[in-house]
Amino acid sequence: MDAFTYRRGEMFAEDTALAGIAAQVGTPFYCYSSGALQQQYVALREAFGGRAHIAYAVKANANLSVVRTFGALGSGADVVSLGELKVALAAGIAPRKIVFSGVGKSRLEMAEALDAGIGQFNVESEAELVALDDVARGWGKVADVAIRINPDIDAESPTPKIKTGLRGDKFGILWPMARASYRAAAGLKGLRVVGVSVHIGSQITSTEPFRKVLHFIKDVVRDLRADGHRIERIDLGGGLGVRYIDEMPPTPQEYADVVLAETEGLGCEITIEPGRFLVANAGVLVTRVLYEKVAESSTVEPVRIVIVDAGMNDLVRPAMYDSRHAIVPVKADGGRHTKADIVGPICESSDRFAQDWPLPPTVPNDLLVIRSAGAYGSSMASTYNSRPLIAEVMVQGREFAVVRPRQTYESLLAGEALPPWLVGGPGVG
Ligand SMILES: *Cc1c(COP(=O)(O)O)cnc(C)c1O
C-alpha cells in the first residue's frame, strides 16, 4: 500500500488532501503517514517472525512522533549521539532496547548512556574501549559492549559517501586486528563483551552484500569463541534499501530469509538497525512553485527551470549524494510533461532537487510533492541562508497533526548573543 496516492485528481496522504494541509500550515512542509510507518515496521517484524530485535536508526528521522510510532510497536533504537538518546528516551523506548553506535562518543555521552541503562555500546576503536571502561568504572557500572568490525566488504551503495564497511573507512576495527581488541576488552573490568556488530552502508539494493557479511561474521564468531569470548549477540546494522525511482531492493522477507538462514544455529540474538527502510517512503516534502523561467544559452538547449520554496537546507540528499527523488504535482491534471530542472532558492548551484525531470507546466503557487523524503530529510535539515526549519506533519486517516511547528524567525535569532563591544554604538543601537 502506498500512503500517497491521487484521488479525484489530487494527491492525498492516507485520507487527507495534501492541499488542505498546505492551506493550514503553509509550505514547505514534511508530511509523514502514520500508517506507512507502521506498515514498514510490521512488515519487517513479521518477516523475521520475532527472531530479531529491531532497533530503529534514529538518525534517519529523529522526529519524536516518528520515533514514538515505532516505540509503540515495540521497536528499540539505534542512536549515535546524546541528542538522539534523549529523543529515544522521550519517545518512550525502553533503555535496554537502545544501542549506542558511532565512532566518536564523548565521555559525557558515555556517562549519560550508562546512567540511562542502555542495552549496548557498539565500540569502534581500542581508544574508545579504554575510555568507556574508565567512564563505566568511574560510575560503578559495567557496559555491555559489541565491537564494530570493519569487514572490508562493499555494500554496493549508489554513492561511496554511504559505504561504511571498506578497508580505510573510519568505521569499526578491521578484522583481524579486531581480534586483539576483543582480547583487550576482556581484560577491562568496566566492560562486558557481549557480541559483534557491523554496518557496511546504506541503500543496499541486493541481498548479496548482506550474505557476504553474514558469512564473514560466522567465521568471526567462531574465532572469537575459540579465543574464549562469550559472543551472544550479533548486531547487523541497517542498510536495507528502498525504491526512490526504479530501484529493486530486496523485500523484507528476502532480507530476513538471508539473515535467518546465515545465522541459524549460531545461538546468537540478532539485532538489526533499519533506518531508511522504515521511513523513506512514509514521508514526502510538499513545496510550492515560486516561479518558472527558461535559462537561455548560446551553446546548449534552453533549460526549463522551476523554482520552488523548499531548498537544499530542507532536503540535502540530492545536493549531497546526487540522489534522485520522484517529483509530482499535487494536482494530477496538469497537461503535457516536459523536462525541467527543479531548484530551490538557496544561493548554491547544487540546490537542485531534480534535473531533466518530466513535469507539466506550472504556475506560481502550484504545489509539488517530492517523494520518498522521510529518511535523511528533516534529520539533515539546516538553517542555511537563515531559513527557519520547516513544519513537519503526521497524518493518520483523515486526521493530521503538526508534529513539529515551523520554526519562527524570532527563534532563529533567539539563540544568539552579541559581545559587549557590539552592543549599542552607531548603526547597531
Ligand atoms: C546509519 C546507520 C544505520 C541505518 O542505516 P539505514 O541505511 O538508514 O538503514 C544503522 N546503523 C548504523 C550504525 C548507522 O550508522
Side-chain angles (χ1 to χ4, degrees), residues 57 59-60 78 101 148 199 201-203 237-240 273-276 376:
K59 76 175 193 284
D78 170 51
S101 301
R148 176 163 170 185
H199 170 74
S202 200
Q203 184 56 9
L240 182 56
E273 301 169 347
R276 187 189 310 274
Y376 306 104

Side-chain angles (χ1 to χ4, degrees), residues 132-314:
L132 180 58
D133 169 63
D134 190 46
V135 174
R137 282 188 293 107
W139 288 89
K141 309 247 181 194
V142 176
D144 283 353
V145 165
I147 293 179
R148 176 163 170 185
I149 296 173
N150 177 334
D152 193 23
I153 289 173
D154 192 340
E156 295 164 29
S157 306
T159 155
K161 288 185 185 169
I162 56 173
K163 294 180 181 181
T164 57
L166 285 171
R167 181 181 296 268
D169 284 342
K170 72 174 182 177
F171 297 100
I173 305 177
L174 198 66
W175 191 260
M177 278 73 104
R179 200 164 176 173
S181 309
Y182 273 90
R183 205 169 305 128
L188 299 173
K189 299 273 178 293
L191 308 182
R192 179 167 46 231
V193 176
V194 296
V196 296
S197 78
V198 281
H199 170 74
I200 58 167
S202 200
Q203 184 56 9
I204 299 170
T205 51
S206 100
T207 52
E208 214 32 50
F210 293 115
R211 196 189 308 276
K212 281 186 200 156
V213 167
L214 287 156
H215 269 293
F216 167 83
I217 288 292
K218 257 195 280 198
D219 291 342
V220 165
V221 169
R222 197 194 47 226
D223 289 350
L224 291 174
R225 283 178 173 162
D227 292 349
H229 303 291
R230 275 231 325 260
I231 303 298
E232 304 159 355
R233 306 184 196 164
I234 297 172
D235 181 341
L236 271 178
L240 182 56
V242 301
R243 172 177 284 205
Y244 284 95
I245 309 279
D246 52 9
E247 300 86 343
M248 295 290 282
T251 64
Q253 196 61 61
E254 287 164 345
Y255 172 64
D257 286 348
V258 169
V259 174
L260 293 175
E262 299 289 339
T263 54
E264 171 135 41
L266 273 181
C268 286
E269 278 182 45
I270 308 298
T271 297
I272 54 170
E273 301 169 347
R276 187 189 310 274
F277 172 82
L278 293 178
V279 291
N281 282 316
V284 296
L285 173 55
V286 180
T287 183
R288 200 179 285 280
V289 174
L290 295 172
Y291 312 106
E292 247 202 73
K293 68 175 182 179
V294 177
E296 302 281 0
S297 153
S298 55
T299 51
V300 293
E301 288 288 298
V303 181
R304 177 184 168 206
I305 295 179
V306 176
I307 303 154
V308 299
D309 66 357
M312 64 187 282
N313 67 303
D314 305 311

